Amino acid sequence: MNPKVLQYLMGHSDISVTLNTYTHLKLDDAKDELEKLSQVWEAEKEIARAENKSDLHSVDDRKHA
């Protein structure tokens, strides 16, 4: 559930009250989030490599023109 919706439903004026009361972090949850973050970083590296290769090809094409 969206924390802001829960805040509204519970009548909390401050979101920190809602988050501190109704959210719980487990070690497995933290591991899952770190894995997702790692996947994002790997994807960003792959995109950068692909963009660099593309840039190199365009430079080579201009040299041969």
Side-chain angles (χ1 to χ4, degrees), residues 7-65:
Q7 175 190 5
Y8 174 77
L9 292 173
M10 296 291 101
H12 298 151
S13 60
D14 187 342
I15 190 65
S16 66
V17 173
T18 308
L19 293 173
N20 288 332
T21 304
Y22 296 104
T23 59
H24 308 284
L25 179 65
K26 298 176 190 164
L27 181 58
D28 288 340
D29 296 328
K31 286 180 182 178
D32 291 344
E33 292 304 314
L34 286 173
E35 179 61 31
K36 289 177 192 175
L37 191 55
S38 176
Q39 291 172 359
V40 168
W41 288 336
E42 288 303 315
E44 287 175 343
K45 284 193 244 178
E46 186 62 33
I47 290 169
R49 282 193 292 268
E51 288 174 346
N52 287 337
K53 285 181 183 177
S54 176
D55 290 344
L56 290 176
H57 288 299
S58 63
V59 168
D60 286 342
D61 292 344
R62 281 184 255 147
K63 285 182 183 177
H64 296 295

